[in-house]
Amino acid sequence: MKIYQFPDPLLREKSLFIKEIDGSTAAFMERLKDRMYVNKGCVGVAAPQVGELKRIVVVDATGHKKVPVSHGLLLMANPQILAVSGSTINREGCLSVPDYTGNVERGDYVKVKYMDKNGEEKIMEADGFEAVILQHEIDHLDGVLFIDRVKNTKRDLFPRKNY
Ligand code: ZN
């Protein structure tokens, strides 16, 4: 799966809602998960990053130093933030923005509704960096990149050596 990179205009599109999880959608979610694990340290990927304008994200914060307790692997269709609160600033990176990392302010807590791989509606809550990851990935579905949320590009954007 090819990763689309900034400034590809596809990354700026709004992704489409998933009506139901059929076999091909479930298989796509699995492939997206496999793609996430290709890059060591990658904690999430959204469908538009591989050129599919579908509201699907995969997240796995397991083992991340900023996530002492994680929900493990999450395969989400139509993820929607129902509530957000608090504030936290973290250094973010993105497979689609390979040359930079940036300090981004986001909510410190989210409540998210989504459909899982079996088409079941779920609601979960996350805080800290796992909440940040979810907000970052869900942003992709609306064509928003973390660099859009960096307040001061001179002060808060940093060249990245490797990804
Ligand atoms: Zn990203």
Side-chain angles (χ1 to χ4, degrees), residues 33-79:
K33 171 204 73 182
D34 294 340
R35 183 62 192 81
M36 170 175 66
Y37 290 144
V38 168
N39 287 75
K40 213 167 179 291
C42 180
V43 289
V45 176
Q49 293 185 268
V50 298
E52 297 278 347
L53 291 173
K54 299 172 175 167
R55 298 192 82 84
I56 290 173
V57 306
V58 299
V59 166
D60 189 353
T62 306
H64 192 282
K65 63 182 191 304
K66 285 180 159 180
V67 185
V69 182
S70 96
H71 287 82
L73 174 65
L74 294 163
L75 305 180
M76 303 172 136
N78 301 334

Side-chain angles (χ1 to χ4, degrees), residues 44-46 49 92-97 136-137 140 144-146:
V45 176
Q49 293 185 268
E92 295 187 20
C94 181
L95 288 178
S96 295
V97 189
H136 174 121
E137 300 309 333
H140 276 297
V144 176
L145 301 173
F146 79 86

